Amino acid sequence: MGKKEEYLPLYEKVSLKRTYNRVIDSFILLLLFLLLRYRLISIKNTFTIPSFLAFLSESWFTFTWIVILNTKWNPAATKTHIQLLLQRVPDLPAVDLFVTTADPILEPPIITVNTVLSLLALDYPANKLACYVSDDGCSPLNFYALCEASKFATLWVPYCKNYNVQLRAPFRYFSEAANTISEGDSLQFKQQWLQMKDLYDNLSRKIEDATREPILFPLDGEFEVFSNTHPKNHPSIVKVILENKEGVCDGVPHLIYISREKRPNHPHQYKAGAMNVLTRVSGLMTNALFMLNVDCDMIVNNPKIVQHAMCILMDPKKGKEVAFVQCFQQFYDGIKDDPFGNQWVSAFEYIIRGMAGLQGPFYGGTNTFHRRNAIYGLYPDEMENERKGKILMQQFGSSKEFFKSATSALEGSAYSSKQISPSNFIEEAIQVADCAYENGTSWGKQLGWIYGSISEDVPSGLNMQRKGWRSEACTPDPIPFTGCAPGNLSSTMIQQKRWTSGLTVVFFSKNSPIMCSLFGKVQFRSGLSYCWLTNWGLRSVFEVTYAVLPVYCIITNTNFLPQGLDLWIHVALAVIYYIHTLIEYLAMGLSIQHWWNNQRMSIIRTGTASFIGFLSAMLKLSGISDTVFEITQKEQPTSSSNDEVDAGRFTFDKSPVFVVGTTILMLQLTALFIKFMGLQPSPTSSNCGNGSGLGELICSTYLVVCYWPYLKGLFATGKYGIPLSTIFISAGIVYFFLLCVNLYPYYHLVLVSE
């Protein structure tokens, strides 16, 4: 290797030039400031409650746009150099792989199995990998599926590496037309392809049969530990399913099953608790200096992704400051044109690439490579220092073996692959997986994944960046991981509500971006960019307010928007914004329908799921009730014609989320009915001059168009219809609103006369 190559970085951060976006985004901000100026002058001349509420909402929208503009200003992409890594680091570092699952019904075992098989087959020395599966549902089905999959893995892993298979999740590999055998293939390949196809079909059939009929296998032998267990009440279970005892680099990595102890009266801290158990158990058994965590549906799409991530983490100059490497979430089963707005293509391209140009992207909860000593609380400036004397055993818990491994990790030394034997640490692993192990320790506070929110990812990432660490985005081609996108409206709403609830709690906690910027080392612009996430809940309050204002003004024949030519700011703002975002979508190769679906769902999600999530967070913060963790259903795609017909259609249930959406729609319909039937009162000088105008009418009509699927749901039946109970509740809320609106002038006159 020449001297020039010795100084070449293992990765580069490339700034993306987007001058046009900067100009238009800045012009939109200018229009927002002009809007606020108009609103202040209007309020000064004639103060009304609608105008004041509009001012508050528009102020928040302006702040939100400042956050977006700040985030999008310096987009960046990373370029990694694998060949340089292999030349400079012939002995690649070990990586522990974490997979989390919690419910065998909502997260079918066959999906988890495919994720695990794709990880076991990574293009990386097998003796440097260990895969840990956390089963928070304590399901014998998951353990059975992994045991059966381990037998298949001994043939699947060599097959993938021998034939350089790109898609290493079997169900994806065999379902792709490009991966079928052809006349030009060798006889040996054809035979092995057919053999692997038959073996996988048998594996899939076994797992699906066991899922339908759990009594097919008795709870004895290896399964005896699952007898008399309940998902929320069981002891710790740790099983070594596969063990690469010889440390063979071309064999199959370790595979370990973990179900941490749970007891009814002991808080289990949701996914954060599971991740901390995985960290401790892996620290005992393999203690790799780097860790990858993925959700159970996130299969490997680029088998060289570990090498790409190591280019960033092992870079001799910039890599030492990187705590975690984030790969974007992308989906293999996304419905065409994203009808539910849950594929986040635009957000990844513009928002997260923008954060990558600052202190780094947020931790997204999956598809993330972590530096173990950063998870253990190390500061980046302590990387070169010995910290053994600074740490206390009490911080890490009572296990001497684990404290020894943690000290080793903090000093940057890893186990030799020949020394690793996970089965030798079963007893210690069970101890550190017990629910009482963390009592009196720093887990969930200064160490590991941070507790206090059901969105454990963002505060955990902020906790590391608060100490001065950076993060990097890893975006090789092909994309690293692909997963299941929520396949229906209910799953999308559950996911959005959970995210909003957790992120709102983060915003009001000590781990908020504001606190981390004021009292930590999170850069100001980076902390501001986090507000795009953590303020989803607060944004929903102002969007719901803005949705109700035109209804109130139409019913009372008042206005909160200017009339005549004075409406030009609002019109210009709306037209420029929508044309600008449309151009952004078209530039990414997306369709106009995709753009409209995302615009519509942004309105629906924010006004419904985010609003309910915000209320849930407020109840938690006030101590009235705790947040309920709801798992998003994972569905393996099928090729049935019924699924293709139903794809993208809105389905409804009795969730409170749909009550909010139905209420907003019925309010708009009521206002429009009153407007067109001429049932409004006559305008007077005391209720805003000339009464409601074109602006209020356009706003209300636009919301009806956005909620058009709800309007269809009012008249549909079955799962495509809004339940009668939801309609009645919404009608009651609308009636109460009308009652309050009609009584308001009376109370206003009474107060004025007094």
Side-chain angles (χ1 to χ4, degrees), residues 574-603:
V575 170
I576 293 172
Y577 170 78
Y578 283 119
I579 292 177
H580 175 47
T581 54
L582 176 59
I583 291 172
E584 287 184 335
Y585 274 73
L586 294 175
M588 291 185 288
L590 302 175
S591 66
I592 295 176
Q593 185 64 50
H594 193 128
W595 165 80
W596 166 245
N597 287 339
N598 279 208
Q599 298 303 313
R600 176 185 67 185
M601 283 305 302
S602 175
I603 297 291

PDB file of all heavy atoms in Angstrom, residues 574-603:
ATOM      1  N   ALA A 574     -49.563  29.321  -0.016  1.00  0.00           N
ATOM      2  CA  ALA A 574     -50.067  27.979  -0.319  1.00  0.00           C
ATOM      3  C   ALA A 574     -49.607  27.515  -1.697  1.00  0.00           C
ATOM      4  O   ALA A 574     -49.119  26.379  -1.859  1.00  0.00           O
ATOM      5  CB  ALA A 574     -51.594  27.960  -0.228  1.00  0.00           C
ATOM      6  N   VAL A 575     -49.724  28.364  -2.696  1.00  0.00           N
ATOM      7  CA  VAL A 575     -49.368  27.982  -4.067  1.00  0.00           C
ATOM      8  C   VAL A 575     -47.882  27.672  -4.178  1.00  0.00           C
ATOM      9  O   VAL A 575     -47.483  26.633  -4.733  1.00  0.00           O
ATOM     10  CB  VAL A 575     -49.766  29.108  -5.057  1.00  0.00           C
ATOM     11  CG1 VAL A 575     -49.192  28.827  -6.444  1.00  0.00           C
ATOM     12  CG2 VAL A 575     -51.278  29.234  -5.127  1.00  0.00           C
ATOM     13  N   ILE A 576     -47.040  28.540  -3.645  1.00  0.00           N
ATOM     14  CA  ILE A 576     -45.584  28.332  -3.743  1.00  0.00           C
ATOM     15  C   ILE A 576     -45.166  27.087  -2.962  1.00  0.00           C
ATOM     16  O   ILE A 576     -44.339  26.293  -3.443  1.00  0.00           O
ATOM     17  CB  ILE A 576     -44.834  29.582  -3.243  1.00  0.00           C
ATOM     18  CG1 ILE A 576     -45.084  30.750  -4.191  1.00  0.00           C
ATOM     19  CG2 ILE A 576     -43.341  29.306  -3.116  1.00  0.00           C
ATOM     20  CD1 ILE A 576     -44.544  32.069  -3.698  1.00  0.00           C
ATOM     21  N   TYR A 577     -45.737  26.912  -1.773  1.00  0.00           N
ATOM     22  CA  TYR A 577     -45.377  25.731  -0.974  1.00  0.00           C
ATOM     23  C   TYR A 577     -45.719  24.446  -1.719  1.00  0.00           C
ATOM     24  O   TYR A 577     -44.890  23.519  -1.809  1.00  0.00           O
ATOM     25  CB  TYR A 577     -46.090  25.774   0.381  1.00  0.00           C
ATOM     26  CG  TYR A 577     -45.959  24.477   1.148  1.00  0.00           C
ATOM     27  CD1 TYR A 577     -44.779  24.164   1.818  1.00  0.00           C
ATOM     28  CD2 TYR A 577     -47.000  23.550   1.168  1.00  0.00           C
ATOM     29  CE1 TYR A 577     -44.650  22.963   2.503  1.00  0.00           C
ATOM     30  CE2 TYR A 577     -46.873  22.346   1.847  1.00  0.00           C
ATOM     31  CZ  TYR A 577     -45.697  22.050   2.513  1.00  0.00           C
ATOM     32  OH  TYR A 577     -45.569  20.858   3.169  1.00  0.00           O
ATOM     33  N   TYR A 578     -46.931  24.356  -2.254  1.00  0.00           N
ATOM     34  CA  TYR A 578     -47.346  23.106  -2.890  1.00  0.00           C
ATOM     35  C   TYR A 578     -46.592  22.859  -4.189  1.00  0.00           C
ATOM     36  O   TYR A 578     -46.210  21.714  -4.487  1.00  0.00           O
ATOM     37  CB  TYR A 578     -48.856  23.108  -3.124  1.00  0.00           C
ATOM     38  CG  TYR A 578     -49.631  22.824  -1.861  1.00  0.00           C
ATOM     39  CD1 TYR A 578     -50.526  23.763  -1.334  1.00  0.00           C
ATOM     40  CD2 TYR A 578     -49.457  21.637  -1.172  1.00  0.00           C
ATOM     41  CE1 TYR A 578     -51.223  23.510  -0.167  1.00  0.00           C
ATOM     42  CE2 TYR A 578     -50.145  21.375  -0.004  1.00  0.00           C
ATOM     43  CZ  TYR A 578     -51.023  22.316   0.502  1.00  0.00           C
ATOM     44  OH  TYR A 578     -51.706  22.061   1.665  1.00  0.00           O
ATOM     45  N   ILE A 579     -46.326  23.895  -4.966  1.00  0.00           N
ATOM     46  CA  ILE A 579     -45.538  23.706  -6.185  1.00  0.00           C
ATOM     47  C   ILE A 579     -44.110  23.294  -5.835  1.00  0.00           C
ATOM     48  O   ILE A 579     -43.522  22.396  -6.468  1.00  0.00           O
ATOM     49  CB  ILE A 579     -45.544  24.998  -7.034  1.00  0.00           C
ATOM     50  CG1 ILE A 579     -46.949  25.246  -7.600  1.00  0.00           C
ATOM     51  CG2 ILE A 579     -44.524  24.896  -8.171  1.00  0.00           C
ATOM     52  CD1 ILE A 579     -47.064  26.539  -8.379  1.00  0.00           C
ATOM     53  N   HIS A 580     -43.547  23.919  -4.807  1.00  0.00           N
ATOM     54  CA  HIS A 580     -42.175  23.608  -4.374  1.00  0.00           C
ATOM     55  C   HIS A 580     -42.057  22.153  -3.913  1.00  0.00           C
ATOM     56  O   HIS A 580     -41.134  21.433  -4.346  1.00  0.00           O
ATOM     57  CB  HIS A 580     -41.785  24.564  -3.250  1.00  0.00           C
ATOM     58  CG  HIS A 580     -40.450  24.269  -2.642  1.00  0.00           C
ATOM     59  ND1 HIS A 580     -39.314  24.026  -3.384  1.00  0.00           N
ATOM     60  CD2 HIS A 580     -40.062  24.177  -1.329  1.00  0.00           C
ATOM     61  CE1 HIS A 580     -38.293  23.799  -2.575  1.00  0.00           C
ATOM     62  NE2 HIS A 580     -38.723  23.883  -1.327  1.00  0.00           N
ATOM     63  N   THR A 581     -42.968  21.709  -3.070  1.00  0.00           N
ATOM     64  CA  THR A 581     -42.898  20.319  -2.592  1.00  0.00           C
ATOM     65  C   THR A 581     -43.155  19.338  -3.733  1.00  0.00           C
ATOM     66  O   THR A 581     -42.542  18.263  -3.780  1.00  0.00           O
ATOM     67  CB  THR A 581     -43.914  20.082  -1.461  1.00  0.00           C
ATOM     68  OG1 THR A 581     -45.226  20.468  -1.892  1.00  0.00           O
ATOM     69  CG2 THR A 581     -43.533  20.865  -0.220  1.00  0.00           C
ATOM     70  N   LEU A 582     -44.035  19.708  -4.669  1.00  0.00           N
ATOM     71  CA  LEU A 582     -44.279  18.842  -5.825  1.00  0.00           C
ATOM     72  C   LEU A 582     -43.011  18.670  -6.648  1.00  0.00           C
ATOM     73  O   LEU A 582     -42.666  17.551  -7.070  1.00  0.00           O
ATOM     74  CB  LEU A 582     -45.402  19.421  -6.681  1.00  0.00           C
ATOM     75  CG  LEU A 582     -45.715  18.679  -7.999  1.00  0.00           C
ATOM     76  CD1 LEU A 582     -46.103  17.230  -7.725  1.00  0.00           C
ATOM     77  CD2 LEU A 582     -46.802  19.395  -8.775  1.00  0.00           C
ATOM     78  N   ILE A 583     -42.284  19.756  -6.863  1.00  0.00           N
ATOM     79  CA  ILE A 583     -41.024  19.679  -7.616  1.00  0.00           C
ATOM     80  C   ILE A 583     -40.018  18.791  -6.884  1.00  0.00           C
ATOM     81  O   ILE A 583     -39.282  18.013  -7.514  1.00  0.00           O
ATOM     82  CB  ILE A 583     -40.462  21.098  -7.847  1.00  0.00           C
ATOM     83  CG1 ILE A 583     -41.362  21.863  -8.828  1.00  0.00           C
ATOM     84  CG2 ILE A 583     -39.030  21.046  -8.372  1.00  0.00           C
ATOM     85  CD1 ILE A 583     -40.995  23.326  -8.978  1.00  0.00           C
ATOM     86  N   GLU A 584     -39.984  18.889  -5.554  1.00  0.00           N
ATOM     87  CA  GLU A 584     -39.077  18.034  -4.782  1.00  0.00           C
ATOM     88  C   GLU A 584     -39.415  16.560  -4.981  1.00  0.00           C
ATOM     89  O   GLU A 584     -38.518  15.721  -5.135  1.00  0.00           O
ATOM     90  CB  GLU A 584     -39.155  18.399  -3.299  1.00  0.00           C
ATOM     91  CG  GLU A 584     -38.481  19.712  -2.939  1.00  0.00           C
ATOM     92  CD  GLU A 584     -38.487  19.982  -1.448  1.00  0.00           C
ATOM     93  OE1 GLU A 584     -39.376  19.459  -0.737  1.00  0.00           O
ATOM     94  OE2 GLU A 584     -37.599  20.719  -0.985  1.00  0.00           O
ATOM     95  N   TYR A 585     -40.679  16.236  -4.975  1.00  0.00           N
ATOM     96  CA  TYR A 585     -41.084  14.843  -5.172  1.00  0.00           C
ATOM     97  C   TYR A 585     -40.755  14.369  -6.584  1.00  0.00           C
ATOM     98  O   TYR A 585     -40.252  13.249  -6.774  1.00  0.00           O
ATOM     99  CB  TYR A 585     -42.588  14.687  -4.903  1.00  0.00           C
ATOM    100  CG  TYR A 585     -42.920  14.454  -3.455  1.00  0.00           C
ATOM    101  CD1 TYR A 585     -42.829  15.488  -2.521  1.00  0.00           C
ATOM    102  CD2 TYR A 585     -43.327  13.205  -3.000  1.00  0.00           C
ATOM    103  CE1 TYR A 585     -43.128  15.283  -1.200  1.00  0.00           C
ATOM    104  CE2 TYR A 585     -43.636  12.988  -1.669  1.00  0.00           C
ATOM    105  CZ  TYR A 585     -43.535  14.033  -0.769  1.00  0.00           C
ATOM    106  OH  TYR A 585     -43.828  13.822   0.560  1.00  0.00           O
ATOM    107  N   LEU A 586     -41.043  15.206  -7.573  1.00  0.00           N
ATOM    108  CA  LEU A 586     -40.748  14.822  -8.953  1.00  0.00           C
ATOM    109  C   LEU A 586     -39.247  14.643  -9.163  1.00  0.00           C
ATOM    110  O   LEU A 586     -38.811  13.772  -9.931  1.00  0.00           O
ATOM    111  CB  LEU A 586     -41.295  15.882  -9.918  1.00  0.00           C
ATOM    112  CG  LEU A 586     -42.829  16.032  -9.963  1.00  0.00           C
ATOM    113  CD1 LEU A 586     -43.222  17.191 -10.868  1.00  0.00           C
ATOM    114  CD2 LEU A 586     -43.498  14.738 -10.415  1.00  0.00           C
ATOM    115  N   ALA A 587     -38.444  15.440  -8.473  1.00  0.00           N
ATOM    116  CA  ALA A 587     -36.987  15.325  -8.586  1.00  0.00           C
ATOM    117  C   ALA A 587     -36.480  13.991  -8.048  1.00  0.00           C
ATOM    118  O   ALA A 587     -35.419  13.505  -8.471  1.00  0.00           O
ATOM    119  CB  ALA A 587     -36.311  16.482  -7.845  1.00  0.00           C
ATOM    120  N   MET A 588     -37.216  13.395  -7.126  1.00  0.00           N
ATOM    121  CA  MET A 588     -36.839  12.081  -6.589  1.00  0.00           C
ATOM    122  C   MET A 588     -37.400  10.939  -7.419  1.00  0.00           C
ATOM    123  O   MET A 588     -37.217   9.772  -7.072  1.00  0.00           O
ATOM    124  CB  MET A 588     -37.336  11.948  -5.140  1.00  0.00           C
ATOM    125  CG  MET A 588     -36.622  12.828  -4.155  1.00  0.00           C
ATOM    126  SD  MET A 588     -37.154  12.497  -2.459  1.00  0.00           S
ATOM    127  CE  MET A 588     -38.798  13.200  -2.481  1.00  0.00           C
ATOM    128  N   GLY A 589     -38.098  11.259  -8.499  1.00  0.00           N
ATOM    129  CA  GLY A 589     -38.678  10.226  -9.335  1.00  0.00           C
ATOM    130  C   GLY A 589     -40.015   9.721  -8.840  1.00  0.00           C
ATOM    131  O   GLY A 589     -40.488   8.661  -9.286  1.00  0.00           O
ATOM    132  N   LEU A 590     -40.653  10.465  -7.929  1.00  0.00           N
ATOM    133  CA  LEU A 590     -41.947  10.065  -7.399  1.00  0.00           C
ATOM    134  C   LEU A 590     -43.066  10.701  -8.228  1.00  0.00           C
ATOM    135  O   LEU A 590     -42.861  11.695  -8.908  1.00  0.00           O
ATOM    136  CB  LEU A 590     -42.067  10.480  -5.930  1.00  0.00           C
ATOM    137  CG  LEU A 590     -40.985   9.926  -4.994  1.00  0.00           C
ATOM    138  CD1 LEU A 590     -41.135  10.504  -3.604  1.00  0.00           C
ATOM    139  CD2 LEU A 590     -41.036   8.400  -4.943  1.00  0.00           C
ATOM    140  N   SER A 591     -44.249  10.127  -8.124  1.00  0.00           N
ATOM    141  CA  SER A 591     -45.372  10.573  -8.940  1.00  0.00           C
ATOM    142  C   SER A 591     -46.140  11.708  -8.264  1.00  0.00           C
ATOM    143  O   SER A 591     -45.992  11.965  -7.062  1.00  0.00           O
ATOM    144  CB  SER A 591     -46.330   9.404  -9.202  1.00  0.00           C
ATOM    145  OG  SER A 591     -46.943   8.992  -7.988  1.00  0.00           O
ATOM    146  N   ILE A 592     -46.994  12.359  -9.063  1.00  0.00           N
ATOM    147  CA  ILE A 592     -47.867  13.398  -8.513  1.00  0.00           C
ATOM    148  C   ILE A 592     -48.828  12.788  -7.501  1.00  0.00           C
ATOM    149  O   ILE A 592     -49.126  13.396  -6.451  1.00  0.00           O
ATOM    150  CB  ILE A 592     -48.647  14.102  -9.643  1.00  0.00           C
ATOM    151  CG1 ILE A 592     -47.668  14.864 -10.550  1.00  0.00           C
ATOM    152  CG2 ILE A 592     -49.689  15.061  -9.066  1.00  0.00           C
ATOM    153  CD1 ILE A 592     -48.323  15.519 -11.747  1.00  0.00           C
ATOM    154  N   GLN A 593     -49.301  11.574  -7.766  1.00  0.00           N
ATOM    155  CA  GLN A 593     -50.198  10.899  -6.831  1.00  0.00           C
ATOM    156  C   GLN A 593     -49.501  10.636  -5.501  1.00  0.00           C
ATOM    157  O   GLN A 593     -50.098  10.784  -4.430  1.00  0.00           O
ATOM    158  CB  GLN A 593     -50.692   9.583  -7.436  1.00  0.00           C
ATOM    159  CG  GLN A 593     -51.734   8.853  -6.591  1.00  0.00           C
ATOM    160  CD  GLN A 593     -53.018   9.638  -6.440  1.00  0.00           C
ATOM    161  OE1 GLN A 593     -53.581  10.106  -7.422  1.00  0.00           O
ATOM    162  NE2 GLN A 593     -53.495   9.799  -5.214  1.00  0.00           N
ATOM    163  N   HIS A 594     -48.231  10.246  -5.560  1.00  0.00           N
ATOM    164  CA  HIS A 594     -47.435  10.022  -4.339  1.00  0.00           C
ATOM    165  C   HIS A 594     -47.356  11.323  -3.532  1.00  0.00           C
ATOM    166  O   HIS A 594     -47.530  11.312  -2.308  1.00  0.00           O
ATOM    167  CB  HIS A 594     -46.030   9.547  -4.730  1.00  0.00           C
ATOM    168  CG  HIS A 594     -45.227   9.000  -3.594  1.00  0.00           C
ATOM    169  ND1 HIS A 594     -44.603   7.776  -3.625  1.00  0.00           N
ATOM    170  CD2 HIS A 594     -44.941   9.504  -2.368  1.00  0.00           C
ATOM    171  CE1 HIS A 594     -43.973   7.566  -2.489  1.00  0.00           C
ATOM    172  NE2 HIS A 594     -44.156   8.611  -1.704  1.00  0.00           N
ATOM    173  N   TRP A 595     -47.091  12.417  -4.249  1.00  0.00           N
ATOM    174  CA  TRP A 595     -47.001  13.725  -3.579  1.00  0.00           C
ATOM    175  C   TRP A 595     -48.328  14.076  -2.910  1.00  0.00           C
ATOM    176  O   TRP A 595     -48.347  14.485  -1.748  1.00  0.00           O
ATOM    177  CB  TRP A 595     -46.645  14.786  -4.611  1.00  0.00           C
ATOM    178  CG  TRP A 595     -46.863  16.191  -4.141  1.00  0.00           C
ATOM    179  CD1 TRP A 595     -46.048  16.921  -3.334  1.00  0.00           C
ATOM    180  CD2 TRP A 595     -47.998  17.030  -4.445  1.00  0.00           C
ATOM    181  NE1 TRP A 595     -46.594  18.175  -3.125  1.00  0.00           N
ATOM    182  CE2 TRP A 595     -47.786  18.262  -3.789  1.00  0.00           C
ATOM    183  CE3 TRP A 595     -49.142  16.863  -5.208  1.00  0.00           C
ATOM    184  CZ2 TRP A 595     -48.698  19.311  -3.866  1.00  0.00           C
ATOM    185  CZ3 TRP A 595     -50.054  17.909  -5.296  1.00  0.00           C
ATOM    186  CH2 TRP A 595     -49.825  19.116  -4.632  1.00  0.00           C
ATOM    187  N   TRP A 596     -49.437  13.911  -3.615  1.00  0.00           N
ATOM    188  CA  TRP A 596     -50.725  14.275  -3.043  1.00  0.00           C
ATOM    189  C   TRP A 596     -51.074  13.383  -1.849  1.00  0.00           C
ATOM    190  O   TRP A 596     -51.576  13.870  -0.835  1.00  0.00           O
ATOM    191  CB  TRP A 596     -51.834  14.198  -4.093  1.00  0.00           C
ATOM    192  CG  TRP A 596     -53.198  14.248  -3.472  1.00  0.00           C
ATOM    193  CD1 TRP A 596     -54.147  13.275  -3.453  1.00  0.00           C
ATOM    194  CD2 TRP A 596     -53.744  15.337  -2.692  1.00  0.00           C
ATOM    195  NE1 TRP A 596     -55.251  13.673  -2.743  1.00  0.00           N
ATOM    196  CE2 TRP A 596     -55.028  14.946  -2.268  1.00  0.00           C
ATOM    197  CE3 TRP A 596     -53.276  16.592  -2.329  1.00  0.00           C
ATOM    198  CZ2 TRP A 596     -55.843  15.760  -1.494  1.00  0.00           C
ATOM    199  CZ3 TRP A 596     -54.086  17.404  -1.555  1.00  0.00           C
ATOM    200  CH2 TRP A 596     -55.357  16.993  -1.152  1.00  0.00           C
ATOM    201  N   ASN A 597     -50.796  12.091  -1.970  1.00  0.00           N
ATOM    202  CA  ASN A 597     -51.075  11.187  -0.850  1.00  0.00           C
ATOM    203  C   ASN A 597     -50.315  11.620   0.397  1.00  0.00           C
ATOM    204  O   ASN A 597     -50.845  11.572   1.514  1.00  0.00           O
ATOM    205  CB  ASN A 597     -50.700   9.753  -1.217  1.00  0.00           C
ATOM    206  CG  ASN A 597     -51.666   9.123  -2.206  1.00  0.00           C
ATOM    207  OD1 ASN A 597     -52.811   9.569  -2.340  1.00  0.00           O
ATOM    208  ND2 ASN A 597     -51.226   8.089  -2.896  1.00  0.00           N
ATOM    209  N   ASN A 598     -49.065  12.029   0.209  1.00  0.00           N
ATOM    210  CA  ASN A 598     -48.274  12.466   1.360  1.00  0.00           C
ATOM    211  C   ASN A 598     -48.778  13.777   1.939  1.00  0.00           C
ATOM    212  O   ASN A 598     -48.777  13.969   3.169  1.00  0.00           O
ATOM    213  CB  ASN A 598     -46.799  12.596   0.977  1.00  0.00           C
ATOM    214  CG  ASN A 598     -46.064  11.272   0.992  1.00  0.00           C
ATOM    215  OD1 ASN A 598     -44.858  11.215   1.207  1.00  0.00           O
ATOM    216  ND2 ASN A 598     -46.759  10.175   0.753  1.00  0.00           N
ATOM    217  N   GLN A 599     -49.209  14.706   1.089  1.00  0.00           N
ATOM    218  CA  GLN A 599     -49.763  15.969   1.579  1.00  0.00           C
ATOM    219  C   GLN A 599     -51.048  15.707   2.365  1.00  0.00           C
ATOM    220  O   GLN A 599     -51.259  16.259   3.450  1.00  0.00           O
ATOM    221  CB  GLN A 599     -50.056  16.912   0.407  1.00  0.00           C
ATOM    222  CG  GLN A 599     -48.838  17.312  -0.403  1.00  0.00           C
ATOM    223  CD  GLN A 599     -47.749  17.965   0.427  1.00  0.00           C
ATOM    224  OE1 GLN A 599     -48.017  18.852   1.221  1.00  0.00           O
ATOM    225  NE2 GLN A 599     -46.523  17.517   0.257  1.00  0.00           N
ATOM    226  N   ARG A 600     -51.899  14.875   1.813  1.00  0.00           N
ATOM    227  CA  ARG A 600     -53.176  14.562   2.468  1.00  0.00           C
ATOM    228  C   ARG A 600     -52.948  13.851   3.792  1.00  0.00           C
ATOM    229  O   ARG A 600     -53.541  14.215   4.813  1.00  0.00           O
ATOM    230  CB  ARG A 600     -54.014  13.676   1.533  1.00  0.00           C
ATOM    231  CG  ARG A 600     -55.320  13.192   2.135  1.00  0.00           C
ATOM    232  CD  ARG A 600     -56.014  12.224   1.200  1.00  0.00           C
ATOM    233  NE  ARG A 600     -55.256  10.988   1.069  1.00  0.00           N
ATOM    234  CZ  ARG A 600     -55.588   9.995   0.243  1.00  0.00           C
ATOM    235  NH1 ARG A 600     -56.630  10.128  -0.552  1.00  0.00           N
ATOM    236  NH2 ARG A 600     -54.855   8.896   0.189  1.00  0.00           N
ATOM    237  N   MET A 601     -52.058  12.848   3.789  1.00  0.00           N
ATOM    238  CA  MET A 601     -51.830  12.085   5.014  1.00  0.00           C
ATOM    239  C   MET A 601     -51.102  12.906   6.070  1.00  0.00           C
ATOM    240  O   MET A 601     -51.246  12.646   7.263  1.00  0.00           O
ATOM    241  CB  MET A 601     -51.053  10.804   4.703  1.00  0.00           C
ATOM    242  CG  MET A 601     -51.888   9.707   4.096  1.00  0.00           C
ATOM    243  SD  MET A 601     -53.344   9.259   5.096  1.00  0.00           S
ATOM    244  CE  MET A 601     -52.588   8.780   6.649  1.00  0.00           C
ATOM    245  N   SER A 602     -50.321  13.888   5.646  1.00  0.00           N
ATOM    246  CA  SER A 602     -49.690  14.773   6.624  1.00  0.00           C
ATOM    247  C   SER A 602     -50.753  15.516   7.423  1.00  0.00           C
ATOM    248  O   SER A 602     -50.650  15.658   8.655  1.00  0.00           O
ATOM    249  CB  SER A 602     -48.769  15.767   5.910  1.00  0.00           C
ATOM    250  OG  SER A 602     -48.237  16.696   6.822  1.00  0.00           O
ATOM    251  N   ILE A 603     -51.803  15.984   6.728  1.00  0.00           N
ATOM    252  CA  ILE A 603     -52.914  16.660   7.403  1.00  0.00           C
ATOM    253  C   ILE A 603     -53.666  15.685   8.306  1.00  0.00           C
ATOM    254  O   ILE A 603     -53.968  15.982   9.475  1.00  0.00           O
ATOM    255  CB  ILE A 603     -53.881  17.259   6.361  1.00  0.00           C
ATOM    256  CG1 ILE A 603     -53.182  18.327   5.520  1.00  0.00           C
ATOM    257  CG2 ILE A 603     -55.125  17.828   7.045  1.00  0.00           C
ATOM    258  CD1 ILE A 603     -52.823  19.588   6.243  1.00  0.00           C
TER     259      ILE A 603
END
